[in-house]
Amino acid sequence: MVYTPPPELAALSLGQIAEQVAARKLPPVEQWDPQQSGESHMRIAADGTWYHEGAPIRRSAMVRAFSGLLRREADGSYWLVTPFQKLSITVEDACFQAVDVSRKDGDLAFRLNTDDLVIAGPDHALRAEGDPNQPALYLRVRHGCEARLNRSTYEQLAQIALGQGEDWTVASGGETFSLRPE
């Protein structure tokens, strides 16, 4: 089956974004507890590029498929999980990159480098790391995995925050998030 990416984020209403989110059927990796484990020989670089045995994975559909199997354990390790086995994967910074943001009906919708759509809120919190001179913003995605906002998405979010006032916060899903590292 051919994968068709969703339309541009700016062209969608919040309702349409919510429909796109609901339409993505993800495997229930949080329910699986496979006994067999191993090494995937895969790595997600800080820039969001996926590698297998040192070579970049060029097929976006493969990256999208693998990303649905990601899970982060309580000890901070990352795994690709199936019902029968789990394979470790190295993650240099974050599993995903947030590559676009749009304010829709008072909420913030993000597009990830895997074309996933995420609406910020209690289950998808934003957090600021680093220091005030070099902040890094992260969005909780699923199963303990996060997306780091790329530079242009950070700039878009900063413009949204400035449009609301001088306190460097944004609101979405009934939550308020600071864009300043603590």
Side-chain angles (χ1 to χ4, degrees), residues 41-43 49-58:
H41 305 285
M42 295 175 74
R43 171 176 66 92
T49 303
W50 285 59
Y51 291 86
H52 181 253
E53 295 182 345
I57 300 174
R58 303 215 184 273

Side-chain angles (χ1 to χ4, degrees), residues 2 18 31-32 37 43 53 95 99 144 146 165 174:
V2 175
Q31 298 174 11
W32 297 336
S37 64
R43 171 176 66 92
E53 295 182 345
C95 296
V99 297
E146 294 182 308

